[in-house]
């Protein structure tokens, strides 16, 4: 009996190893493993993309100017002024810039990584967090130096207590749903109904409505509103007025935009625009 159990254990281990290898092979085929962040540490022009890749360490990403959008299989995170993006180890991600974007990337030690969320997140950066982060990244302070350790300790303490931005936009994998969300990404202000979008992409309204609920856990209207709010963050960060932002992104009037923005972001778009401008000044 003992020999049989040993054999069974070996089979289980072998299968687990085989599965791990298959999963890693799939990840490697989809994205590039980076050991050097120099391609993303340079200033990015408006609309520039960084291809999908991953690291064996955690990474913090901050746009000292412009705004950075981070996309993973699980969703899209927007980080304009006063926001810092967290990407855990081995999480495949790509990037897109809005405006002339000065990206500051900071590798995160394993001990601090364990204290942070297990999926990408966007944190609201306090003035202390932002200044410690910029000192660490701008001056290329070695993490092992006494000053580097102190700065990392401040960054870690501030991140752990920092509120998270709740605006993750889930992305679909079903090609029928992705065809619709791609149209909305290209033009968030589009006023077409789900039935009209389905007609354009070859799917029924009923099918698409079911997919929004089952795959993204929200309705078509909720998803489009969240997309528009994400884009509004970028518009406001660029200094666009509240009224013009509302019109650009398809709201019928500024009042409905203000209500939707405040409900999701926790502050009015006017207040957000003011704090975003102060962070970039």
């Amino acid at each position: 009996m003992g020999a049989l159990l040993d054999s069974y254990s070996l089979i289980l281990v072998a299968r687990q190893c085989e599965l791990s290898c298959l999963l890693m092979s799939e990840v490697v085929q989809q994205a590039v493993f980076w050991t050097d962040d120099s391609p993303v540490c340079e200033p990015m022009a408006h609309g520039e993309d960084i291809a999908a890749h991953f690291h064996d360490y955690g990474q913090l990403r901050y746009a000292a100017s412009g705004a950075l959008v981070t996309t993973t299989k699980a969703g899209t995170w927007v980080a304009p002024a006063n926001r810092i993006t967290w990407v855990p180890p081995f999480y495949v991600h790509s990037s897109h810039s809005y405006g002339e974007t000065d990206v500051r990337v900071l590798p995160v030690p394993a001990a601090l990584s364990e204290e942070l969320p297990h999926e990408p997140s966007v944190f609201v950066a306090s003035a202390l967090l932002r200044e410690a982060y910029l000192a660490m990244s701008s001056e290329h302070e070695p993490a092992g130096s006494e000053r580097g350790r102190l700065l990392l300790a401040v960054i870690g303490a501030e991140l752990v207590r920092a509120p998270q931005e709740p605006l993750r936009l889930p992305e679909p994998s079903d090609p029928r749903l992705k065809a619709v969300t791609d149209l909305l990404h290209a033009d968030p202000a589009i006023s077409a109904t789900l039935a009209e979008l389905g007609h354009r992409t070859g799917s029924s309204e009923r099918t698409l409505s079911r997919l929004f609920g089952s795959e993204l856990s929200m309705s078509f209207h909720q998803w489009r509103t969240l997309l528009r709010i994400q884009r509004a963050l970028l518009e406001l960060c660029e200094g666009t007025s509240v009224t013009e932002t509302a019109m650009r992104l398809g709201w019928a009037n500024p009042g409905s935009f203000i209500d939707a923005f405040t409900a999701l972001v926790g502050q009015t778009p006017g207040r957000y625009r003011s704090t975003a401008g102060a962070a970039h000044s």
Side-chain angles (χ1 to χ4, degrees), residues 167-191:
L167 297 177
R168 179 181 74 90
L169 184 71
E171 297 292 351
S173 56
D174 188 289
R176 295 166 295 180
L177 195 55
K178 190 174 186 305
V180 170
T181 57
D182 283 349
L183 289 176
L184 294 170
H185 272 297
D187 182 12
I190 190 172
S191 60

Side-chain angles (χ1 to χ4, degrees), residues 216-280:
L216 303 182
S217 300
M218 61 180 62
S219 68
F220 162 68
H221 174 73
Q222 289 172 323
W223 193 92
R224 180 164 62 181
T225 298
L226 186 52
L227 170 66
R228 288 176 173 179
I229 295 297
Q230 279 200 347
R231 293 298 177 87
L233 293 173
L234 300 170
E235 293 282 345
L236 295 167
C237 179
E238 289 290 308
T240 307
S241 72
V242 172
T243 299
E244 187 177 355
T245 297
M247 296 300 102
R248 282 189 186 184
L249 293 173
W251 268 277
N253 56 74
S256 58
F257 164 57
I258 292 170
D259 289 344
F261 188 97
T262 304
L264 285 170
V265 180
Q267 58 182 311
T268 65
R271 174 64 179 166
Y272 180 86
R273 182 175 181 270
S274 298
T275 56
H280 275 176

Side-chain angles (χ1 to χ4, degrees), residues 43-271:
M44 298 173 66
H46 174 67
E48 188 173 345
D49 293 307
I50 298 293
H53 63 282
F54 64 100
H55 316 270
D56 58 359
Y57 53 87
Q59 182 190 78
L60 293 169
R61 301 146 64 81
Y62 174 69
S65 64
L68 187 67
V69 177
T70 300
T71 300
T72 74
K73 187 176 181 180
T76 300
W77 286 258
V78 172
N82 210 26
R83 300 294 188 271
I84 291 180
T85 304
W86 157 244
V87 181
F90 297 104
Y91 224 103
V92 176
H93 57 283
S94 59
S95 307
H96 183 83
S97 62
Y98 279 82
E100 297 291 329
T101 304
D102 180 9
V103 181
R104 309 294 178 88
V105 172
L106 192 65
V108 176
L112 177 55
S113 293
E114 293 175 358
E115 298 183 41
L116 297 176
H118 297 299
E119 67 173 16
S121 308
V122 172
F123 294 96
V124 179
S126 66
L128 178 58
L129 172 55
R130 188 169 63 251
E131 292 306 317
Y133 189 100
L134 290 174
M136 189 77 184
S137 59
S138 302
E139 301 167 23
H140 305 290
E141 185 70 42
S145 68
E146 182 177 356
R147 183 168 182 263
R149 288 194 297 270
L150 289 172
L151 288 171
L152 276 175
V154 170
I155 292 169
E158 288 295 294
L159 278 175
V160 169
R161 65 188 293 273
Q164 290 188 43
E165 186 73 81
L167 297 177
R168 179 181 74 90
L169 184 71
E171 297 292 351
S173 56
D174 188 289
R176 295 166 295 180
L177 195 55
K178 190 174 186 305
V180 170
T181 57
D182 283 349
L183 289 176
L184 294 170
H185 272 297
D187 182 12
I190 190 172
S191 60
T193 65
L194 185 57
E196 291 168 340
L197 291 171
H199 180 72
R200 290 173 59 177
T201 58
S203 297
S204 71
E205 179 183 11
R206 182 177 179 179
T207 296
L208 292 172
S209 180
R210 175 179 57 80
L211 288 172
F212 267 104
S214 62
E215 186 168 349
L216 303 182
S217 300
M218 61 180 62
S219 68
F220 162 68
H221 174 73
Q222 289 172 323
W223 193 92
R224 180 164 62 181
T225 298
L226 186 52
L227 170 66
R228 288 176 173 179
I229 295 297
Q230 279 200 347
R231 293 298 177 87
L233 293 173
L234 300 170
E235 293 282 345
L236 295 167
C237 179
E238 289 290 308
T240 307
S241 72
V242 172
T243 299
E244 187 177 355
T245 297
M247 296 300 102
R248 282 189 186 184
L249 293 173
W251 268 277
N253 56 74
S256 58
F257 164 57
I258 292 170
D259 289 344
F261 188 97
T262 304
L264 285 170
V265 180
Q267 58 182 311
T268 65
R271 174 64 179 166

Side-chain angles (χ1 to χ4, degrees), residues 31-52:
V32 176
F33 173 62
W34 281 10
T35 57
D36 177 16
D37 277 316
S38 55
V40 80
C41 289
E42 299 295 328
M44 298 173 66
H46 174 67
E48 188 173 345
D49 293 307
I50 298 293

